[in-house]
Amino acid sequence: MNDPTPPPPPSVPAAEAARAAARDDATGTAQPAYDPAIDPDDTGVPQAAPGADLAATGRGFLRSLFDVSFSTFITRRLASAFYVVGLVAIGIAFIVYFVGGLVSGIGALWWNPGAGISLIVATLIVVPIAAFLAVVVLRFIIEAVVALIAIAENTQQTAENTERG
């Protein structure tokens, strides 16, 4: 069952294979190694090359936006914008419910002091907690969507590399 003979050694030393893998097949020039310190979104998916034409990037975005085959993803590009819009919406809702609860509580003090105090205290406790939880849920949802898109992009890149190899 267990064969005691080890597998044969590779035909190319590991250091030489690593150097060969770091070179571009077409040009033979060395490619920079992946550096997580300069990865803007920490997903490992390469971003646009340094010095890339920004106008071409914009055209790529519009082309991606109207791509009916969904072969390119725009979600990662828009995630921060969605997050900011969500934070603004949560902030506005917080202010509306907080001020509304306080005004209602103060108004209720005239006809039922116990209900007015309860409403003010509930507003001071519940509205900030609800706003905080809304921010956490928003962040979780956006991170989950971005992670799914990153997985899809990595899977697509792996499939393309597998087909070439």
Side-chain angles (χ1 to χ4, degrees):
M1 268 192 209
N2 291 340
D3 189 8
T5 57
S11 59
V12 179
E16 186 177 328
R19 279 192 300 275
R23 296 198 177 277
D24 183 28
D25 293 333
T27 63
T29 58
Q31 295 296 313
Y34 170 71
D35 183 8
I38 61 171
D39 187 4
D41 58 5
D42 196 29
T43 60
V45 177
Q47 301 297 315
D53 183 19
L54 293 179
T57 303
R59 284 193 303 270
F61 174 76
L62 287 176
R63 190 173 295 127
S64 298
L65 185 61
F66 296 107
D67 176 23
V68 295
S69 68
F70 290 93
S71 60
T72 56
F73 301 105
I74 63 168
T75 307
R76 287 180 43 188
R77 297 179 196 172
L78 295 177
S80 59
F82 285 136
Y83 188 60
V84 168
V85 169
L87 288 177
V88 168
I90 291 169
I92 291 170
F94 171 80
I95 291 170
V96 166
Y97 283 107
F98 194 78
V99 170
L102 291 179
V103 168
S104 297
I106 292 170
L109 283 174
W110 298 109
W111 54 271
N112 188 346
I117 292 172
S118 296
L119 187 55
I120 290 170
V121 170
T123 298
L124 292 173
I125 294 172
V126 173
V127 173
I129 291 173
F132 175 75
L133 291 176
V135 170
V136 170
V137 169
L138 174 68
R139 182 69 187 208
F140 281 170
I141 290 170
I142 290 176
E143 283 183 6
V145 170
V146 168
L148 283 173
I149 297 302
I151 290 169
E153 288 174 343
N154 289 339
T155 303
Q156 181 181 6
Q157 186 176 7
T158 300
E160 289 171 1
N161 290 340
T162 303
E163 289 174 1
R164 282 189 239 144

